[in-house]
Structures are given as structure tokens and as C-alpha cells.
Amino acid sequence: MKVSRIGTIPKHDTFGERARFSAYFALDRLRGGVVAERVESDDYAFRHGTSEKETQERLTALLKHAADTTEFYKEYKDSTSLDQFPVVNKDIFRSHYDEMRSSACRDASDNRVMTTSGSTGTPFSMIQDHRKALRNTADSIFISMLGGYRIGEKIAFIRVWVDNVKKSHFQLFAENSIMMESSSLSDEAISRMLHIIRTKKVKCLTGYSSALGEISRFIDRTDYSMSGMQVHSILPISESMPAPVRKRLQEQFGCPVRSYYSNEENGIMGLEFEENESYYINSESYYYEILKMDCDEPAEEGELGRIVITDLNNYAFPVIRYDNGDSAVMKKIRHGDRYRVILTELYGRRSDILFDTEGNAVTPYVITNNLWDVEGVKQYRFLQTAPGKYELRLNGDREKMNVDEMLRRIRPALGADADITVTYVDEIPVLASGKRKYIENLCPELMNEYAKQNKSV
């Protein structure tokens, strides 16, 4: 088993951490070594690329399975290529849930159910077969290793712990993990978190980007002492992390900060791995398409488009050409008959994209990168309310916040004639999932117009 050489191996793993690592893979060997074999496959693909031939064979097998065993896809039995299948989204999943489940796996006792948070809509449950679950575990182990975390190390999860995701005491012990509740991010709550991180000798932090950002702000605002911390990897999830926040966290904790690209429906699909903020995508488990904003045609190379995912592993509920609401620019790097997938730009939810006063798309990073370090700002939210109209909501010390400086920074990206209203609030509310949404476009008609014009960022 070569797993131990993957990623950065910490020098000061405790006996308990090493024991958990060894015990996990010893148990895996007794069960056939499926997870270890998959981790090695992921590692080989990371270094050498994914086989085009094997991917095509797996795609063909998945499409045939879907057409033969689901009501939804039975009319595509004569379809031989992926582009002959329809693009679907979460609303279609909900509307045709039973029709999209495979009859071959419907009654399997080892199926598992994954439920989304519903942060951008109604929660949704996804059925996964046992094979898919094992591959998800292996993929998570490998990608986490790329990010600097090795299974068995003390890890703290920072999120809202609703009942359906809470872990038992046994799970927490076995995984060497700590549940940290992020529904409250008061100074007292954050101080308590940092105390636990230090005293429990936590090696890895993972959680919502917004929660990690609030911790970073608290450290700077209170001049909190970081002595005694043993964190050597930080893995943000669920939300985009502004570059200045990532850089500051790296400075504060003295370790790399690399965001996962993931969702509950599919699993952990990639990792922000390059210095230029691009994402490595696990092409062993997922087939990626980037389609144009206004139609289901492939985007041009270097063009911003819709992420459409085909999950190569889930046979209980075939996820074929799933438009998950995110947008990106993709680059395929060829290595002979093998390839690697890189997202050179990832913008997250399309509702996060803003438009300037002339209707041109603007990355939300122009807001997050420019507002993060303004003195006195505790929280903010930036909304586009109409064409050329915006609202900046601020929570913080009004005597210290320099609003003129904020507007000076962001106005050039939006247009000299941008109508920006500043509103002071006492709190920026969290979503039901516990996440905070920094940027939101409340004008879907702007995205529709942008799609018609088929412009790229």
C-alpha cells in the first residue's frame, strides 16, 4: 500500500493518528482492498492522466445501464453518445425522482442517501449505491491528501450540524474528528473554537469558507495569539473563498489553504491546487462538459460556460449531464491517450456573477477581493438589484468603515455611472445551511441577456 507517500506527510503525527491510518487500511484489506486500490488509481491519474479509452468504455456502460433500467432514460436505448442524452438539473431530479432511479439497484440494502443542504432552494436527496459510496470514500481520501490532510489525523469540521449529518461519539472517536458548530460566529464562539483547536492539537480545519473567513477576521481584529497551533492544512468547502482570505489564513496558520470542489449529490470532485487558483478535477470519477450559457452546445476553449457533470460511478441513480448551477472555464491537458481536467476559472453559482452598467459579466471576486481588508467591516453583502443598480450592505464599526474608499475600489469594475446604495445593518443573516452569501445577483434577466449575446468573461 503506497498511500502513505501521497501528499505532504506531517512530521509530528501522534501514535493514535498513525494507528487510525494503519487500522483503516488494514480493515480495507480484509474487505478486498477496494478503497486502497481506488486511491492508487486516483494517484496514477493525477500524475499521468485518465485514459480516454477507459473513460469512453465507462460512459458507454453507464448510458446503457440508465437506458435499460430507468423509466426516465428508456427512450434513449438507441442513443450511442453522451450528447444525445438530455441535460438535467436539480429541478428535473426532483420532478422525476422515481423515474430516474435504477430498477436494478432500487432495493439494494446497502444503498445510502445523501441530502443537500437546500441553501439555494429545497433540500434534495440523492441515492448512491455501495460501489459509488466506496469510490467516494477513496476519492475523498486521495484529494484530502493532496490538500495536506491524512486520514486519522485530528480534524475539526466547522459547519451547521443539523440532525441528519451529526456524527455519533463512536464516529468522532474513530475518525479522530471534532464537530464545531458555526450557526453562531460571535467573538465568544470563535474564541472557544480556537481554544479547542489549540488544546486538542487539531491538524486539519475544514468547513464553510465564510466561517473560516470570520475566524480569520477575529484573529486579526483581536490580535489573537496563534502560538501552540498545530494546524498544517485548511480545506474550505461549499463556498468560494476570496483570494485575500485564503492568503491571510495561510499567513495566520502557516499552512496551505486549498478549497475542495464538491457537492452532496456527487461528492468531492476536485481541489484548488495550483498557485493561480485553478482546480484539479478528479476525471477518474467524473466526466466534465462545459456548455455555452444559452444552449447545450460545447463552450469554446477558454470560454466561460455551465458545468455539466456525468458521475461515472453511481448506478443506483444515474447522474448524467447534470447542470449543477456552477460556471467555469475548463482546460483539458493531453498526455498521449490520457488527459487531465483543470478548471482555470471557477465562479460557483451563476447567481454570483455580476454585470456592469454596460451588461458585461463581472467576476464576483472584484468585490470580495476589494472589500475583505477594509478596516471596521465585520460582514458585508453585495447585491445587484437591477441593471446598473447595486446595494452594499455593511455590518461593522461605522466610525472606522471608509465607505468612500470601498466605492472607489469597486466602482471601476462596475462602471463610473454605477448606482450603488450603501445600507448599514446589524447582522448579515446566514442561510438555512449556515452559509453566508457575500454576492448575489437578483436579476436573472441579466444572465438571460448575457447568454443570448454569448459573451465570455
Side-chain angles (χ1 to χ4, degrees), residues 262-300:
S262 64
N263 60 36
E264 291 289 350
E265 306 93 280
N266 302 110
I268 297 176
M269 298 176 286
L271 182 75
E272 188 175 22
F273 195 66
E274 307 292 341
E275 291 300 320
N276 61 2
E277 301 175 26
S278 61
Y279 283 75
Y280 168 73
I281 294 300
N282 178 7
S283 49
E284 286 290 283
S285 289
Y286 305 97
Y287 186 82
Y288 265 59
E289 299 173 86
I290 303 295
L291 303 184
K292 291 181 179 292
M293 290 291 193
D294 62 339
C295 66
D296 292 342
E297 296 298 319
E300 302 295 330

mmCIF file of all heavy atoms in Angstrom, residues 262-300:
data_model
loop_
_atom_site.group_PDB
_atom_site.id
_atom_site.type_symbol
_atom_site.label_atom_id
_atom_site.label_comp_id
_atom_site.label_asym_id
_atom_site.label_seq_id
_atom_site.Cartn_x
_atom_site.Cartn_y
_atom_site.Cartn_z
ATOM 1 N N SER A 262 -16.877 20.471 -4.474
ATOM 2 C CA SER A 262 -17.701 19.334 -4.078
ATOM 3 C C SER A 262 -19.170 19.715 -4.026
ATOM 4 O O SER A 262 -19.530 20.891 -4.035
ATOM 5 C CB SER A 262 -17.265 18.833 -2.694
ATOM 6 O OG SER A 262 -17.500 19.835 -1.708
ATOM 7 N N ASN A 263 -20.020 18.693 -3.978
ATOM 8 C CA ASN A 263 -21.423 18.872 -3.629
ATOM 9 C C ASN A 263 -21.920 17.564 -3.021
ATOM 10 O O ASN A 263 -21.247 16.527 -3.093
ATOM 11 C CB ASN A 263 -22.274 19.289 -4.843
ATOM 12 C CG ASN A 263 -22.246 18.267 -5.969
ATOM 13 O OD1 ASN A 263 -22.215 17.052 -5.755
ATOM 14 N ND2 ASN A 263 -22.276 18.744 -7.206
ATOM 15 N N GLU A 264 -23.064 17.598 -2.380
ATOM 16 C CA GLU A 264 -23.584 16.404 -1.721
ATOM 17 C C GLU A 264 -24.053 15.368 -2.733
ATOM 18 O O GLU A 264 -23.991 14.163 -2.485
ATOM 19 C CB GLU A 264 -24.747 16.772 -0.791
ATOM 20 C CG GLU A 264 -24.349 17.577 0.428
ATOM 21 C CD GLU A 264 -23.572 16.751 1.447
ATOM 22 O OE1 GLU A 264 -23.513 15.511 1.297
ATOM 23 O OE2 GLU A 264 -23.023 17.346 2.384
ATOM 24 N N GLU A 265 -24.526 15.814 -3.900
ATOM 25 C CA GLU A 265 -25.056 14.893 -4.891
ATOM 26 C C GLU A 265 -23.990 13.957 -5.438
ATOM 27 O O GLU A 265 -24.245 12.774 -5.714
ATOM 28 C CB GLU A 265 -25.689 15.642 -6.068
ATOM 29 C CG GLU A 265 -26.748 16.653 -5.694
ATOM 30 C CD GLU A 265 -26.177 18.048 -5.526
ATOM 31 O OE1 GLU A 265 -25.607 18.307 -4.456
ATOM 32 O OE2 GLU A 265 -26.281 18.853 -6.457
ATOM 33 N N ASN A 266 -22.793 14.483 -5.643
ATOM 34 C CA ASN A 266 -21.723 13.710 -6.269
ATOM 35 C C ASN A 266 -20.609 13.340 -5.303
ATOM 36 O O ASN A 266 -20.140 12.208 -5.278
ATOM 37 C CB ASN A 266 -21.140 14.488 -7.455
ATOM 38 C CG ASN A 266 -22.163 14.830 -8.505
ATOM 39 O OD1 ASN A 266 -22.532 15.982 -8.688
ATOM 40 N ND2 ASN A 266 -22.646 13.817 -9.205
ATOM 41 N N GLY A 267 -20.150 14.293 -4.511
ATOM 42 C CA GLY A 267 -19.037 14.065 -3.602
ATOM 43 C C GLY A 267 -17.953 15.100 -3.821
ATOM 44 O O GLY A 267 -18.173 16.144 -4.445
ATOM 45 N N ILE A 268 -16.750 14.811 -3.324
ATOM 46 C CA ILE A 268 -15.607 15.700 -3.529
ATOM 47 C C ILE A 268 -15.044 15.433 -4.918
ATOM 48 O O ILE A 268 -14.573 14.330 -5.207
ATOM 49 C CB ILE A 268 -14.535 15.491 -2.451
ATOM 50 C CG1 ILE A 268 -15.104 15.854 -1.069
ATOM 51 C CG2 ILE A 268 -13.298 16.326 -2.746
ATOM 52 C CD1 ILE A 268 -14.150 15.577 0.075
ATOM 53 N N MET A 269 -15.105 16.429 -5.780
ATOM 54 C CA MET A 269 -14.739 16.244 -7.183
ATOM 55 C C MET A 269 -13.389 16.835 -7.548
ATOM 56 O O MET A 269 -12.821 16.499 -8.588
ATOM 57 C CB MET A 269 -15.830 16.847 -8.080
ATOM 58 C CG MET A 269 -17.181 16.175 -7.920
ATOM 59 S SD MET A 269 -18.486 16.966 -8.891
ATOM 60 C CE MET A 269 -18.765 18.463 -7.921
ATOM 61 N N GLY A 270 -12.878 17.760 -6.746
ATOM 62 C CA GLY A 270 -11.628 18.386 -7.110
ATOM 63 C C GLY A 270 -11.059 19.213 -5.982
ATOM 64 O O GLY A 270 -11.631 19.306 -4.890
ATOM 65 N N LEU A 271 -9.911 19.821 -6.267
ATOM 66 C CA LEU A 271 -9.186 20.590 -5.256
ATOM 67 C C LEU A 271 -8.472 21.757 -5.913
ATOM 68 O O LEU A 271 -7.885 21.622 -6.984
ATOM 69 C CB LEU A 271 -8.144 19.696 -4.565
ATOM 70 C CG LEU A 271 -7.330 20.355 -3.447
ATOM 71 C CD1 LEU A 271 -8.191 20.501 -2.195
ATOM 72 C CD2 LEU A 271 -6.084 19.530 -3.130
ATOM 73 N N GLU A 272 -8.564 22.891 -5.236
ATOM 74 C CA GLU A 272 -7.819 24.078 -5.684
ATOM 75 C C GLU A 272 -6.346 23.807 -5.381
ATOM 76 O O GLU A 272 -5.932 23.801 -4.228
ATOM 77 C CB GLU A 272 -8.316 25.297 -4.914
ATOM 78 C CG GLU A 272 -7.759 26.605 -5.411
ATOM 79 C CD GLU A 272 -8.387 27.777 -4.678
ATOM 80 O OE1 GLU A 272 -8.903 27.577 -3.560
ATOM 81 O OE2 GLU A 272 -8.369 28.876 -5.219
ATOM 82 N N PHE A 273 -5.594 23.569 -6.440
ATOM 83 C CA PHE A 273 -4.262 23.020 -6.225
ATOM 84 C C PHE A 273 -3.149 23.888 -6.780
ATOM 85 O O PHE A 273 -2.020 23.823 -6.318
ATOM 86 C CB PHE A 273 -4.175 21.622 -6.857
ATOM 87 C CG PHE A 273 -3.000 20.830 -6.392
ATOM 88 C CD1 PHE A 273 -2.912 20.412 -5.064
ATOM 89 C CD2 PHE A 273 -1.978 20.500 -7.255
ATOM 90 C CE1 PHE A 273 -1.837 19.674 -4.618
ATOM 91 C CE2 PHE A 273 -0.887 19.760 -6.818
ATOM 92 C CZ PHE A 273 -0.819 19.346 -5.498
ATOM 93 N N GLU A 274 -3.432 24.690 -7.779
ATOM 94 C CA GLU A 274 -2.382 25.490 -8.392
ATOM 95 C C GLU A 274 -2.302 26.858 -7.724
ATOM 96 O O GLU A 274 -3.257 27.354 -7.145
ATOM 97 C CB GLU A 274 -2.657 25.675 -9.894
ATOM 98 C CG GLU A 274 -2.883 24.365 -10.641
ATOM 99 C CD GLU A 274 -1.641 23.511 -10.720
ATOM 100 O OE1 GLU A 274 -0.537 24.057 -10.532
ATOM 101 O OE2 GLU A 274 -1.765 22.303 -10.949
ATOM 102 N N GLU A 275 -1.147 27.471 -7.831
ATOM 103 C CA GLU A 275 -0.956 28.798 -7.246
ATOM 104 C C GLU A 275 -1.869 29.840 -7.879
ATOM 105 O O GLU A 275 -2.194 30.848 -7.277
ATOM 106 C CB GLU A 275 0.512 29.227 -7.396
ATOM 107 C CG GLU A 275 1.473 28.423 -6.542
ATOM 108 C CD GLU A 275 1.163 28.526 -5.052
ATOM 109 O OE1 GLU A 275 0.823 29.628 -4.598
ATOM 110 O OE2 GLU A 275 1.245 27.496 -4.357
ATOM 111 N N ASN A 276 -2.269 29.611 -9.133
ATOM 112 C CA ASN A 276 -3.127 30.583 -9.822
ATOM 113 C C ASN A 276 -4.608 30.328 -9.586
ATOM 114 O O ASN A 276 -5.456 30.792 -10.347
ATOM 115 C CB ASN A 276 -2.831 30.574 -11.323
ATOM 116 C CG ASN A 276 -3.111 29.216 -11.954
ATOM 117 O OD1 ASN A 276 -3.556 28.297 -11.287
ATOM 118 N ND2 ASN A 276 -2.837 29.099 -13.232
ATOM 119 N N GLU A 277 -4.931 29.543 -8.531
ATOM 120 C CA GLU A 277 -6.305 29.336 -8.089
ATOM 121 C C GLU A 277 -7.120 28.436 -9.009
ATOM 122 O O GLU A 277 -8.347 28.396 -8.923
ATOM 123 C CB GLU A 277 -7.043 30.678 -7.905
ATOM 124 C CG GLU A 277 -6.375 31.589 -6.894
ATOM 125 C CD GLU A 277 -7.043 32.948 -6.799
ATOM 126 O OE1 GLU A 277 -8.245 33.038 -7.095
ATOM 127 O OE2 GLU A 277 -6.353 33.898 -6.418
ATOM 128 N N SER A 278 -6.481 27.692 -9.899
ATOM 129 C CA SER A 278 -7.218 26.730 -10.711
ATOM 130 C C SER A 278 -7.498 25.475 -9.887
ATOM 131 O O SER A 278 -6.928 25.275 -8.820
ATOM 132 C CB SER A 278 -6.439 26.390 -11.979
ATOM 133 O OG SER A 278 -5.191 25.812 -11.663
ATOM 134 N N TYR A 279 -8.406 24.640 -10.390
ATOM 135 C CA TYR A 279 -8.834 23.440 -9.676
ATOM 136 C C TYR A 279 -8.475 22.194 -10.471
ATOM 137 O O TYR A 279 -8.764 22.099 -11.671
ATOM 138 C CB TYR A 279 -10.348 23.453 -9.461
ATOM 139 C CG TYR A 279 -10.811 24.350 -8.349
ATOM 140 C CD1 TYR A 279 -10.838 25.738 -8.508
ATOM 141 C CD2 TYR A 279 -11.243 23.833 -7.135
ATOM 142 C CE1 TYR A 279 -11.267 26.567 -7.483
ATOM 143 C CE2 TYR A 279 -11.682 24.648 -6.107
ATOM 144 C CZ TYR A 279 -11.691 26.017 -6.291
ATOM 145 O OH TYR A 279 -12.122 26.837 -5.274
ATOM 146 N N TYR A 280 -7.860 21.232 -9.791
ATOM 147 C CA TYR A 280 -7.662 19.910 -10.375
ATOM 148 C C TYR A 280 -8.942 19.121 -10.161
ATOM 149 O O TYR A 280 -9.471 19.068 -9.049
ATOM 150 C CB TYR A 280 -6.492 19.187 -9.697
ATOM 151 C CG TYR A 280 -6.423 17.718 -10.047
ATOM 152 C CD1 TYR A 280 -5.996 17.320 -11.310
ATOM 153 C CD2 TYR A 280 -6.838 16.753 -9.139
ATOM 154 C CE1 TYR A 280 -5.960 15.976 -11.652
ATOM 155 C CE2 TYR A 280 -6.805 15.405 -9.471
ATOM 156 C CZ TYR A 280 -6.367 15.019 -10.726
ATOM 157 O OH TYR A 280 -6.341 13.691 -11.064
ATOM 158 N N ILE A 281 -9.454 18.495 -11.228
ATOM 159 C CA ILE A 281 -10.705 17.745 -11.167
ATOM 160 C C ILE A 281 -10.423 16.252 -11.304
ATOM 161 O O ILE A 281 -9.632 15.824 -12.149
ATOM 162 C CB ILE A 281 -11.661 18.208 -12.289
ATOM 163 C CG1 ILE A 281 -12.094 19.655 -12.053
ATOM 164 C CG2 ILE A 281 -12.880 17.307 -12.371
ATOM 165 C CD1 ILE A 281 -12.826 19.904 -10.749
ATOM 166 N N ASN A 282 -11.082 15.466 -10.479
ATOM 167 C CA ASN A 282 -10.915 14.021 -10.498
ATOM 168 C C ASN A 282 -11.641 13.428 -11.705
ATOM 169 O O ASN A 282 -12.828 13.109 -11.640
ATOM 170 C CB ASN A 282 -11.444 13.423 -9.194
ATOM 171 C CG ASN A 282 -11.337 11.912 -9.171
ATOM 172 O OD1 ASN A 282 -10.759 11.302 -10.056
ATOM 173 N ND2 ASN A 282 -11.897 11.308 -8.143
ATOM 174 N N SER A 283 -10.930 13.269 -12.803
ATOM 175 C CA SER A 283 -11.535 12.754 -14.037
ATOM 176 C C SER A 283 -11.670 11.237 -14.024
ATOM 177 O O SER A 283 -12.225 10.661 -14.958
ATOM 178 C CB SER A 283 -10.715 13.205 -15.249
ATOM 179 O OG SER A 283 -9.337 12.939 -15.057
ATOM 180 N N GLU A 284 -11.176 10.560 -12.974
ATOM 181 C CA GLU A 284 -11.390 9.132 -12.834
ATOM 182 C C GLU A 284 -12.841 8.826 -12.452
ATOM 183 O O GLU A 284 -13.356 7.767 -12.777
ATOM 184 C CB GLU A 284 -10.453 8.554 -11.766
ATOM 185 C CG GLU A 284 -9.012 8.435 -12.189
ATOM 186 C CD GLU A 284 -8.811 7.354 -13.243
ATOM 187 O OE1 GLU A 284 -8.809 6.156 -12.892
ATOM 188 O OE2 GLU A 284 -8.664 7.718 -14.422
ATOM 189 N N SER A 285 -13.488 9.753 -11.767
ATOM 190 C CA SER A 285 -14.856 9.509 -11.285
ATOM 191 C C SER A 285 -15.911 10.338 -11.992
ATOM 192 O O SER A 285 -17.095 9.992 -11.932
ATOM 193 C CB SER A 285 -14.929 9.796 -9.775
ATOM 194 O OG SER A 285 -14.242 8.804 -9.051
ATOM 195 N N TYR A 286 -15.495 11.416 -12.656
ATOM 196 C CA TYR A 286 -16.472 12.330 -13.250
ATOM 197 C C TYR A 286 -16.050 12.728 -14.661
ATOM 198 O O TYR A 286 -14.871 12.965 -14.924
ATOM 199 C CB TYR A 286 -16.622 13.603 -12.393
ATOM 200 C CG TYR A 286 -16.966 13.284 -10.966
ATOM 201 C CD1 TYR A 286 -15.979 13.231 -9.990
ATOM 202 C CD2 TYR A 286 -18.273 12.990 -10.596
ATOM 203 C CE1 TYR A 286 -16.280 12.897 -8.681
ATOM 204 C CE2 TYR A 286 -18.586 12.656 -9.293
ATOM 205 C CZ TYR A 286 -17.589 12.618 -8.335
ATOM 206 O OH TYR A 286 -17.891 12.276 -7.044
ATOM 207 N N TYR A 287 -17.045 12.800 -15.527
ATOM 208 C CA TYR A 287 -16.810 13.312 -16.879
ATOM 209 C C TYR A 287 -17.412 14.709 -16.955
ATOM 210 O O TYR A 287 -18.599 14.887 -16.687
ATOM 211 C CB TYR A 287 -17.448 12.406 -17.935
ATOM 212 C CG TYR A 287 -17.103 12.832 -19.342
ATOM 213 C CD1 TYR A 287 -15.893 12.455 -19.919
ATOM 214 C CD2 TYR A 287 -17.973 13.626 -20.076
ATOM 215 C CE1 TYR A 287 -15.558 12.856 -21.204
ATOM 216 C CE2 TYR A 287 -17.653 14.028 -21.356
ATOM 217 C CZ TYR A 287 -16.446 13.644 -21.919
ATOM 218 O OH TYR A 287 -16.099 14.057 -23.184
ATOM 219 N N TYR A 288 -16.591 15.683 -17.299
ATOM 220 C CA TYR A 288 -16.997 17.088 -17.286
ATOM 221 C C TYR A 288 -17.233 17.615 -18.694
ATOM 222 O O TYR A 288 -16.434 17.374 -19.598
ATOM 223 C CB TYR A 288 -15.906 17.950 -16.641
ATOM 224 C CG TYR A 288 -16.105 18.210 -15.170
ATOM 225 C CD1 TYR A 288 -16.175 17.162 -14.260
ATOM 226 C CD2 TYR A 288 -16.228 19.499 -14.680
ATOM 227 C CE1 TYR A 288 -16.355 17.394 -12.912
ATOM 228 C CE2 TYR A 288 -16.409 19.741 -13.331
ATOM 229 C CZ TYR A 288 -16.469 18.683 -12.457
ATOM 230 O OH TYR A 288 -16.652 18.928 -11.117
ATOM 231 N N GLU A 289 -18.319 18.361 -18.842
ATOM 232 C CA GLU A 289 -18.544 19.173 -20.036
ATOM 233 C C GLU A 289 -18.714 20.616 -19.594
ATOM 234 O O GLU A 289 -19.244 20.880 -18.515
ATOM 235 C CB GLU A 289 -19.816 18.744 -20.769
ATOM 236 C CG GLU A 289 -19.830 17.310 -21.268
ATOM 237 C CD GLU A 289 -21.200 16.954 -21.827
ATOM 238 O OE1 GLU A 289 -21.443 17.222 -23.019
ATOM 239 O OE2 GLU A 289 -22.027 16.421 -21.056
ATOM 240 N N ILE A 290 -18.275 21.543 -20.421
ATOM 241 C CA ILE A 290 -18.572 22.958 -20.221
ATOM 242 C C ILE A 290 -19.411 23.393 -21.416
ATOM 243 O O ILE A 290 -18.925 23.402 -22.559
ATOM 244 C CB ILE A 290 -17.298 23.820 -20.115
ATOM 245 C CG1 ILE A 290 -16.407 23.315 -18.977
ATOM 246 C CG2 ILE A 290 -17.673 25.286 -19.892
ATOM 247 C CD1 ILE A 290 -17.005 23.444 -17.588
ATOM 248 N N LEU A 291 -20.674 23.707 -21.161
ATOM 249 C CA LEU A 291 -21.598 24.080 -22.226
ATOM 250 C C LEU A 291 -21.842 25.578 -22.230
ATOM 251 O O LEU A 291 -21.690 26.243 -21.201
ATOM 252 C CB LEU A 291 -22.926 23.340 -22.055
ATOM 253 C CG LEU A 291 -22.854 21.803 -22.016
ATOM 254 C CD1 LEU A 291 -24.258 21.214 -21.937
ATOM 255 C CD2 LEU A 291 -22.098 21.249 -23.208
ATOM 256 N N LYS A 292 -22.224 26.087 -23.378
ATOM 257 C CA LYS A 292 -22.493 27.517 -23.510
ATOM 258 C C LYS A 292 -23.612 27.938 -22.559
ATOM 259 O O LYS A 292 -24.442 27.125 -22.159
ATOM 260 C CB LYS A 292 -22.865 27.860 -24.958
ATOM 261 C CG LYS A 292 -21.707 27.723 -25.941
ATOM 262 C CD LYS A 292 -22.145 28.092 -27.341
ATOM 263 C CE LYS A 292 -20.989 27.982 -28.318
ATOM 264 N NZ LYS A 292 -19.938 28.994 -28.076
ATOM 265 N N MET A 293 -23.625 29.206 -22.231
ATOM 266 C CA MET A 293 -24.610 29.720 -21.283
ATOM 267 C C MET A 293 -26.037 29.664 -21.831
ATOM 268 O O MET A 293 -26.994 29.495 -21.073
ATOM 269 C CB MET A 293 -24.279 31.169 -20.908
ATOM 270 C CG MET A 293 -23.039 31.314 -20.056
ATOM 271 S SD MET A 293 -23.283 30.664 -18.403
ATOM 272 C CE MET A 293 -21.829 31.327 -17.577
ATOM 273 N N ASP A 294 -26.196 29.768 -23.154
ATOM 274 C CA ASP A 294 -27.536 29.913 -23.720
ATOM 275 C C ASP A 294 -28.034 28.684 -24.462
ATOM 276 O O ASP A 294 -29.144 28.681 -24.976
ATOM 277 C CB ASP A 294 -27.575 31.120 -24.667
ATOM 278 C CG ASP A 294 -26.617 30.954 -25.845
ATOM 279 O OD1 ASP A 294 -25.672 30.149 -25.740
ATOM 280 O OD2 ASP A 294 -26.820 31.640 -26.865
ATOM 281 N N CYS A 295 -27.229 27.626 -24.531
ATOM 282 C CA CYS A 295 -27.659 26.422 -25.226
ATOM 283 C C CYS A 295 -26.805 25.252 -24.772
ATOM 284 O O CYS A 295 -25.859 25.426 -24.004
ATOM 285 C CB CYS A 295 -27.571 26.600 -26.750
ATOM 286 S SG CYS A 295 -25.867 26.778 -27.359
ATOM 287 N N ASP A 296 -27.121 24.066 -25.264
ATOM 288 C CA ASP A 296 -26.415 22.866 -24.822
ATOM 289 C C ASP A 296 -25.284 22.477 -25.770
ATOM 290 O O ASP A 296 -24.927 21.294 -25.882
ATOM 291 C CB ASP A 296 -27.408 21.701 -24.668
ATOM 292 C CG ASP A 296 -28.371 21.924 -23.513
ATOM 293 O OD1 ASP A 296 -28.063 22.764 -22.645
ATOM 294 O OD2 ASP A 296 -29.431 21.272 -23.481
ATOM 295 N N GLU A 297 -24.717 23.467 -26.422
ATOM 296 C CA GLU A 297 -23.549 23.242 -27.266
ATOM 297 C C GLU A 297 -22.276 23.433 -26.443
ATOM 298 O O GLU A 297 -22.257 24.230 -25.497
ATOM 299 C CB GLU A 297 -23.550 24.214 -28.444
ATOM 300 C CG GLU A 297 -24.710 24.026 -29.406
ATOM 301 C CD GLU A 297 -24.696 22.659 -30.067
ATOM 302 O OE1 GLU A 297 -23.601 22.190 -30.440
ATOM 303 O OE2 GLU A 297 -25.778 22.060 -30.192
ATOM 304 N N PRO A 298 -21.200 22.716 -26.787
ATOM 305 C CA PRO A 298 -19.942 22.880 -26.040
ATOM 306 C C PRO A 298 -19.420 24.306 -26.121
ATOM 307 O O PRO A 298 -19.474 24.948 -27.183
ATOM 308 C CB PRO A 298 -18.983 21.901 -26.736
ATOM 309 C CG PRO A 298 -19.861 20.921 -27.438
ATOM 310 C CD PRO A 298 -21.093 21.685 -27.836
ATOM 311 N N ALA A 299 -18.933 24.819 -25.000
ATOM 312 C CA ALA A 299 -18.299 26.142 -24.992
ATOM 313 C C ALA A 299 -16.970 26.065 -25.735
ATOM 314 O O ALA A 299 -16.359 24.994 -25.842
ATOM 315 C CB ALA A 299 -18.077 26.604 -23.557
ATOM 316 N N GLU A 300 -16.539 27.194 -26.251
ATOM 317 C CA GLU A 300 -15.236 27.246 -26.902
ATOM 318 C C GLU A 300 -14.140 27.129 -25.850
ATOM 319 O O GLU A 300 -14.364 27.416 -24.664
ATOM 320 C CB GLU A 300 -15.081 28.564 -27.666
ATOM 321 C CG GLU A 300 -16.140 28.816 -28.723
ATOM 322 C CD GLU A 300 -16.084 27.804 -29.846
ATOM 323 O OE1 GLU A 300 -14.966 27.298 -30.131
ATOM 324 O OE2 GLU A 300 -17.147 27.500 -30.427
#
